[in-house]
């Protein structure tokens, strides 16, 4: 039968970029990939909304580790398919990960440089492959977008902040 392994909460209408307010994996199901599945699920909802997202702050220590691990895997997979230069905005649009989270994650991997007032992704295929090789081979529970029957809340268009 079915078992509850965890949950997450999401605000229906959030003026911030938060795509996840709270996440919990029950202790007996931790370290089995369910937390990353819930994170991936939240980002798939962001994709449906057409909004880049980030978790609500502050993150717990375990939350920081979980999100950094998820972002690292997703960003490296994205950069593995890239040929030539790519901007942070392009990576953000492809992954729905907030640009600052991309910058922070790639800085921790030594794959981003700051030059003349802008961040530049420095991800040659060899370094991407080396970082991917360091990620533990753990069975990932993928989100199948075709199985998601959900429509985002229709709200008034948001005004751009100055």
């Amino acid at each position: 039968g079915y078992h509850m392994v965890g949950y997450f909460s999401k605000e229906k209408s959030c003026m911030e970029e938060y795509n996840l307010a709270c996440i919990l994996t029950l202790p007996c199901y931790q370290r089995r990939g369910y937390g990353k599945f819930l994170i991936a699920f939240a980002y798939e909802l962001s994709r449906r909304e057409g909004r880049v997202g980030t978790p609500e702050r502050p993150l717990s220590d375990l939350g920081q580790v979980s999100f950094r691990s998820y972002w690292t895997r997703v960003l490296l997979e994205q950069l593995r398919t890239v040929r030539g230069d790519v901007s942070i905005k392009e990576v953000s649009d492809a992954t729905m990960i907030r640009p600052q989270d991309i910058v922070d994650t790639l800085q921790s991997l030594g794959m981003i440089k700051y030059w003349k007032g802008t961040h530049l992704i420095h991800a040659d295929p060899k370094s991407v492959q080396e970082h991917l090789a360091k990620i533990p081979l753990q069975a990932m529970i993928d989100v199948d977008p075709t199985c998601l029957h959900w429509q985002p809340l229709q709200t008034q268009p948001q005004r751009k902040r100055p």
Side-chain angles (χ1 to χ4, degrees), residues 34-52:
Y34 294 115
K36 286 191 187 91
F37 172 77
L38 292 173
I39 292 169
F41 189 80
Y43 277 100
E44 184 57 39
L45 295 180
S46 292
R47 186 177 314 289
R48 288 278 175 98
E49 291 175 315
R51 295 174 47 152
V52 169

Side-chain angles (χ1 to χ4, degrees), residues 10 15 17 28 35-36 41-44 48 65 70 78 82 87 90 92 96-97 105 112 118 147 155 159-160:
K10 173 180 176 42
M15 297 305 288
E17 297 175 320
C28 59
K36 286 191 187 91
F41 189 80
Y43 277 100
E44 184 57 39
R48 288 278 175 98
V65 168
Y70 172 80
Q78 182 67 29
V82 169
S87 72
E90 290 170 319
S92 178
M96 304 316 285
I97 298 172
T105 301
I112 198 160
T118 188
C147 295
T155 60
R159 289 184 8 200
K160 297 254 182 191

Side-chain angles (χ1 to χ4, degrees), residues 20 24 40 45 98 104-106 115 127 135 139-140 142 148 153 159:
L20 194 67
L24 173 101
L45 295 180
R98 181 180 73 153
D104 294 343
T105 301
L106 293 180
W115 188 69
S127 68
I135 296 175
M140 293 301 299
D142 291 322
L148 178 58
L153 177 68
R159 289 184 8 200

Side-chain angles (χ1 to χ4, degrees), residues 31-91:
R31 306 198 52 77
R32 295 185 187 183
Y34 294 115
K36 286 191 187 91
F37 172 77
L38 292 173
I39 292 169
F41 189 80
Y43 277 100
E44 184 57 39
L45 295 180
S46 292
R47 186 177 314 289
R48 288 278 175 98
E49 291 175 315
R51 295 174 47 152
V52 169
T54 190
E56 188 174 329
R57 301 301 202 278
L59 291 174
S60 67
D61 292 343
L62 186 56
Q64 180 67 37
V65 168
S66 298
F67 274 93
R68 182 60 58 92
S69 174
Y70 172 80
W71 293 328
T72 297
R73 184 182 64 86
V74 169
L75 294 174
L76 289 172
E77 290 292 338
Q78 182 67 29
L79 292 174
R80 182 169 60 173
T81 64
V82 169
R83 299 291 174 247
D85 294 336
V86 63
S87 72
I88 293 169
K89 180 172 179 358
E90 290 170 319
V91 173

